[in-house]
């Protein structure tokens, strides 16, 4: 709450890196983090305008967001979900198909 109040009074928002800057220490991290670092923080896909930061207060909004909350309303329309066989987030697609 103090951070939000400070930000409302003009302070810069607290931020955090969303993709690790280097691969060091990621050996045991989920594939999602290793691949994010390898893709977004290397010349392969890194962009000069990317500051690699997200506003810390947005975690509240992310935690409350549910893109599948009303997915049953799309049935009986076709639904295509594409997911990698080793995806850390495969369960999102599996749950969406089950609910639809």
């Amino acid at each position: 709450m103090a951070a939000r109040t400070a930000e409302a009074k003009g302070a810069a928002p607290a931020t955090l890196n969303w993709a690790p800057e280097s691969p060091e220490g990621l050996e045991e991290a989920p594939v999602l983090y290793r691949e994010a670092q390898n893709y977004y923080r290397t010349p392969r896909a890194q962009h000069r305008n990317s500051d690699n930061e997200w506003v810390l207060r947005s975690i509240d909004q992310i935690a409350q967001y549910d893109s599948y909350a009303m997915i049953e309303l799309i049935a009986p329309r076709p639904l295509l979900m594409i997911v990698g066989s080793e995806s850390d987030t495969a369960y999102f697609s599996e749950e969406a198909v089950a609910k639809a």
Side-chain angles (χ1 to χ4, degrees):
M1 187 153 153
R4 288 185 296 209
T5 300
E7 190 176 331
K9 291 180 178 180
T15 60
L16 188 65
N17 286 351
W18 65 269
E21 290 290 345
S22 87
E24 292 177 26
L26 294 179
E27 297 81 14
E28 301 298 319
V31 173
L32 178 73
Y33 295 108
R34 294 194 308 262
E35 288 183 352
Q37 190 286 322
N38 183 277
Y39 186 76
Y40 292 108
R41 305 315 300 161
T42 63
R44 179 172 146 203
Q46 189 174 30
H47 193 278
R48 66 181 176 277
N49 293 337
S50 170
D51 58 9
N52 188 34
E53 293 181 342
W54 59 281
V55 179
L56 205 51
R57 71 174 144 68
S58 66
I59 192 70
D60 291 341
Q61 297 162 336
I62 293 169
Q64 294 177 43
Y65 177 74
D66 182 0
S67 57
Y68 304 122
M70 298 167 78
I71 197 166
E72 64 277 355
L73 297 178
I74 69 168
R77 291 163 190 84
L79 173 65
L80 173 65
M81 303 292 283
I82 299 173
V83 61
S85 60
E86 297 178 22
S87 172
D88 289 331
T89 57
Y91 69 95
F92 285 126
S93 297
E94 292 164 358
E95 288 179 12
V97 170
K99 288 181 179 180

